[in-house]
Amino acid sequence: QMQLVESGGGLVQAGDSLRLSCVTSGRTFSSYNMGWFRQAPGKERDFVAAITWKGNSTYYQNSVKGRFTISRDNAKNTVYLQMGSLKPEDTAVYYCVADLWYSGDSAGSYDYWGQGTQVTVSS
């Protein structure tokens, strides 16, 4: 089993920046593709971003391209989501995910999930 613990969420104003972190344990982090999903109240979980195990490829939902950046530090077993120019529609619980083989936008294809961290963007 892999454990994933997110942190860094909070209440910010529109236009602000925030960095989420996800620390993992229990498995060899450097072997796993990592990603972020989010879920707003009353909506399904949506893909936000993903990064391959090597860190050489990243993928983003169109609505966050140019504003969010996913990165990883294999020495710290940590994946980050740097969020900029935040909008009220970015308000959601953000989840960190991991999978050995998959790095796409399908929530059901990721084996491991964190508990989530709340991000609230006020207008």
Side-chain angles (χ1 to χ4, degrees):
Q1 289 287 339
M2 175 182 268
Q3 291 75 44
L4 299 84
V5 180
E6 303 97 333
S7 62
L11 172 62
V12 296
Q13 292 187 330
D16 284 351
S17 298
L18 205 59
R19 188 177 80 160
L20 305 183
S21 300
C22 172
V23 179
T24 73
S25 60
R27 286 288 187 267
T28 304
F29 175 76
S30 58
S31 298
Y32 280 75
N33 301 307
M34 302 296 298
W36 292 91
F37 281 73
R38 65 186 181 187
Q39 187 168 22
K43 296 188 177 182
E44 294 184 351
R45 289 186 183 182
D46 286 336
F47 171 76
V48 177
I51 186 167
T52 54
W53 63 278
K54 280 187 175 180
N56 57 342
S57 294
T58 56
Y59 310 94
Y60 296 94
Q61 180 196 113
N62 284 339
S63 67
V64 306
K65 282 182 181 177
R67 299 190 299 123
F68 291 11
T69 302
I70 188 170
S71 62
R72 64 190 298 156
D73 186 337
N74 287 349
K76 296 182 177 180
N77 294 342
T78 302
V79 62
Y80 303 98
L81 185 67
Q82 180 68 48
M83 304 185 294
S85 302
L86 283 162
K87 306 175 181 180
E89 50 265 42
D90 294 318
T91 295
V93 177
Y94 283 71
Y95 297 92
C96 177
V97 297
D99 195 85
L100 261 181
W101 307 109
Y102 187 74
S103 59
D105 60 2
S106 172
S109 297
Y110 285 91
D111 275 344
Y112 299 106
W113 288 72
Q115 292 300 306
T117 185
Q118 176 71 47
V119 173
T120 303
V121 184
S122 63
S123 57

